[in-house]
Amino acid sequence: MAELWTSYIWPVVWIVIQILMFLVPILIGVAYLTYAERKIISAMQMRIGPNVIGWFGLLQPFADALKLLTKETVLPTGASPVVFFLAPMITFSLAMLAWAVIPVNPGWVISDLNVGVLYLFAISSLGVYGVVMAGWASNSRYAFLGAMRSAAQMVSYEVSIGFIMITVLMTADTLNLSALVEAQAEPLFGFLPGWYFIPHLPMFVVFFISVLAETNRHPFDLPEAESELVAGFMTEYSSMSFALFFLGEYANMIMMSGMVSILFLGGWLPPYDVAPWNLIPGVVWFAAKIAFCLFIFIWVRATFPRYRYDQLMRLGWKVFLPLSLIWLALTAGFLVYFDKVPA
Amino acid sequence: MIAATLAFYLFAALAIVGALNVIFQRNPVHSVLWLIFTFFNAAGLFVLLGAEFVAMILVIVYVGAVAVLFLFVVMMLDINITMVREGFFKYMPVGLLVGGILLAELIIVFAGWVMSDSAEAMRAAPAPDPSAISNTEALGLILYTDYVYLFQASGIILLVAMIGSIVLTHRTRTGVRKQVISEQNARRPSDTLEVVKVESGKGLQ
């Protein structure tokens, strides 16, 4: 009996506990990200924003969630029911799945995969399915057009994201995310932080813009451009299924910010390994970096007008793809020339 | 170990269920979705074999890219099921013939299956020690060092195929208004603007 407990039941229970320790903060983070977005945008537009429910409107996200839960779930005529309800679940669970490999502190990771970078890339490339399935299953023209746009957009920007990831992991010489963060510990030239956004600055910018396109955020939110497509692929969704899409989109933003932090901003590492900086725990550094990226997401939303669709495609294929390819070749050449390639 | 065995049977059974559903679904879009489900189970089987790199590549390439385009095309096609079914009995003999040949080939292959004498020894002691090298690195060494020319050749074949399909489907349409950004950027104020001093009471001529 004791053997059954130690070798079968306890490991499963322990994994469930670990998963909850990741998911609960993320879900709270998602709730307050929606609040932060409304507050920050209102501050930028000189409004007050939500301030009625709770102190400073802090309970607003929960009020919104309750409101959505009590609404009626509508299934459009001619819709394909299974696919229709599967789509929001896929979107939401994919955003959660990625956290299985993201390390938030040395050793604080559910699964320290050897191919963590590839896993992240695979999960983020699956995000398009939720959108396409929703658009098709809704049996509505607006939803279908939104889904088509989104599919083309996400597939296009994935290519440059992939090349940039290859560049970064060539520099770090690992596919393991924890090792990738550790590789950024060594200071650059002895005084700059070793985070990869400094040597790879152009790629950091390209990567961030591609992430905006990949998560369908402003200024690339064409799949849900209100003025043309109502709410794009979400047009026919209501109640809980809409809430899942909504949560999935914001959870995706947090996940992508985590990815940016690990690849370019040194994950849990402090900028300098000296007294005031390294006293702050790694988790706090990681959370602060994610929060910084999320702030840029919202800042961009409040600042930029929406792209036109053909310009978006042009940017992806004719600007970002060649740029990231050139940078890949440059990085490889640099590593070989300065003999930094490990045997 | 029992967990791994159970996982194997789970993935294998689900892969077969998925594959059967690909051919038995009436709706082509549902077929593609079941195909994606089958890919996932195949990736799970690769993970159980310890080939996590191949599993991830399977998900990225087949599920993340190829199947998306598949789905894209199938959704856009307006397939009429009754029209597809129309000539069912007329074409059945040909279909049965092709299927029969494939089945016979499979039977011949499996009946003539022999294990090489050295295979067992090679399996017992793989050439690079699996504990010393990750399978990503081992694959990289084989692809880019031992078989680099074949690898490049397959790349060129794919490139030629891609260029060929673009050439075949490309058509130049007239009357399309297209934005040329370099032209827009190259415009100077002197090309398009003229500053005129207008005397009062006369206006522009």
Side-chain angles (χ1 to χ4, degrees), chain A residues 8 80 83 113-115 118-119 121-122 125-126 128-129 132-133 136 144 148 151-152 155 158 175 308 310-311 314 343, chain B residues 1-2 27 29-30 33 36 40 52-53 56-57 59-60 62-64 67-69 71-72 75-76 134 136-137 179 181:
Chain A
Y8 287 103
S80 170
V83 183
L113 272 190
N114 265 335
V115 287
L118 287 180
Y119 177 85
F121 187 58
S125 70
L126 296 182
V128 63
Y129 280 110
V132 171
M133 283 164 73
W136 178 78
F144 191 65
M148 286 288 130
V155 169
E158 235 166 64
L175 282 167
R308 211 174 63 204
D310 60 317
Q311 291 175 330
R314 176 184 168 272
Chain B
M1 230 42 242
I2 189 163
N27 192 325
V29 173
H30 290 174
L33 293 176
I36 293 158
F40 269 115
E52 74 262 4
F53 182 78
M56 289 305 150
I57 293 297
V59 173
I60 293 173
Y62 282 91
V63 183
V68 172
L69 298 180
L71 200 61
F72 212 83
M75 279 177 182
M76 304 265 254
S134 77
T136 315
E137 213 175 331
Q179 183 183 24
I181 296 207

Side-chain angles (χ1 to χ4, degrees), chain B residues 178-193:
Chain B
K178 207 171 159 199
Q179 183 183 24
V180 185
I181 296 207
S182 55
E183 249 172 44
Q184 288 183 348
N185 286 341
R187 264 156 56 113
R188 290 278 159 270
S190 55
D191 301 340
T192 45
L193 282 178

Side-chain angles (χ1 to χ4, degrees), chain B residues 161-173:
Chain B
M162 191 179 85
I163 295 173
S165 60
I166 291 174
V167 168
L168 283 177
T169 54
H170 186 74
R171 61 194 169 118
T172 39
R173 284 180 295 177

Side-chain angles (χ1 to χ4, degrees), chain A residues 325-340:
Chain A
L325 258 176
I326 290 170
W327 196 264
L328 176 72
L330 276 181
T331 311
F334 178 87
L335 290 175
V336 171
Y337 186 76
F338 288 96
D339 208 18
K340 291 185 190 296

Side-chain angles (χ1 to χ4, degrees), chain A:
Chain A
M1 196 63 212
E3 196 252 328
L4 185 74
W5 169 257
T6 50
S7 59
Y8 287 103
I9 302 174
W10 175 244
V12 175
V13 174
W14 176 230
I15 287 177
V16 172
I17 294 173
Q18 283 179 315
I19 292 172
L20 286 179
M21 277 159 66
F22 267 83
L23 287 195
V24 172
I26 292 164
L27 287 177
I28 295 174
V30 168
Y32 278 98
L33 177 58
T34 61
Y35 171 78
E37 177 166 40
R38 293 165 73 173
K39 272 291 187 191
I40 292 171
I41 289 183
S42 61
M44 286 180 181
Q45 296 169 346
M46 298 172 98
R47 295 183 285 116
I48 296 170
N51 68 340
V52 177
I53 304 164
W55 306 278
F56 306 106
L58 274 174
L59 294 177
Q60 183 71 41
F62 299 102
D64 287 343
L66 273 180
K67 186 202 81 173
L68 275 175
L69 282 179
T70 51
K71 296 250 171 179
E72 185 193 353
T73 308
V74 180
L75 182 69
T77 25
S80 170
V82 178
V83 183
F84 186 79
F85 288 116
L86 208 61
M89 291 182 207
I90 287 179
T91 305
F92 181 71
S93 36
L94 280 178
M96 300 283 125
L97 264 176
W99 287 92
V101 295
I102 292 184
V104 294
N105 212 16
W108 290 22
V109 54
I110 296 174
S111 167
D112 203 12
L113 272 190
N114 265 335
V115 287
V117 178
L118 287 180
Y119 177 85
L120 267 190
F121 187 58
I123 292 293
S124 71
S125 70
L126 296 182
V128 63
Y129 280 110
V131 176
V132 171
M133 283 164 73
W136 178 78
S138 298
N139 192 27
S140 146
R141 279 179 181 69
Y142 287 126
F144 191 65
L145 280 173
M148 286 288 130
R149 281 185 173 190
S150 164
Q153 172 179 339
M154 289 166 104
V155 169
S156 311
Y157 278 84
E158 235 166 64
V159 187
S160 53
I161 286 189
F163 278 123
I164 295 167
M165 277 183 164
I166 294 173
T167 316
V168 168
L169 58 91
M170 243 172 19
T171 329
D173 187 40
T174 178
L175 282 167
N176 179 302
L177 288 171
S178 305
L180 207 152
V181 173
E182 288 301 340
Q184 301 180 47
E186 180 122 339
L188 191 71
F189 307 128
F191 65 97
L192 284 171
W195 305 351
Y196 286 149
F197 85 94
I198 300 174
H200 291 303
L201 186 63
M203 286 306 103
F204 175 58
V205 176
V206 171
F207 190 80
F208 200 86
I209 299 173
S210 302
V211 163
L212 288 179
E214 185 80 4
T215 48
N216 291 330
R217 288 286 300 180
H218 298 251
F220 305 115
D221 62 335
L222 291 148
E224 35 187 302
E226 302 92 344
S227 49
E228 306 152 27
L229 291 175
V230 194
F233 59 89
M234 288 191 229
T235 308
E236 305 293 339
Y237 282 86
S238 62
S239 175
M240 200 56 215
S241 47
F242 173 77
L244 276 182
F245 263 127
F246 197 71
L247 289 176
E249 188 187 326
Y250 282 84
N252 243 329
M253 281 165 64
I254 301 183
M255 186 263 274
M256 286 293 191
S257 305
M259 210 154 100
V260 172
S261 313
I262 286 178
L263 290 179
F264 288 101
L265 298 176
W268 63 76
L269 294 171
Y272 297 100
D273 201 12
V274 288
W277 304 114
N278 60 12
L279 293 180
I280 303 168
V283 192
V284 177
W285 275 116
F286 191 59
K289 286 165 187 173
I290 290 184
F292 172 73
C293 294
L294 289 172
F295 177 75
I296 301 182
F297 266 95
I298 297 167
W299 190 9
V300 166
R301 174 174 175 181
T303 323
F304 286 104
R306 186 175 292 134
Y307 250 61
R308 211 174 63 204
Y309 190 68
D310 60 317
Q311 291 175 330
L312 168 95
M313 282 302 179
R314 176 184 168 272
L315 187 71
W317 288 107
K318 292 188 181 169
V319 180
F320 284 179
L321 181 61
L323 213 64
S324 52
L325 258 176
I326 290 170
W327 196 264
L328 176 72
L330 276 181
T331 311
F334 178 87
L335 290 175
V336 171
Y337 186 76
F338 288 96
D339 208 18
K340 291 185 190 296
V341 187

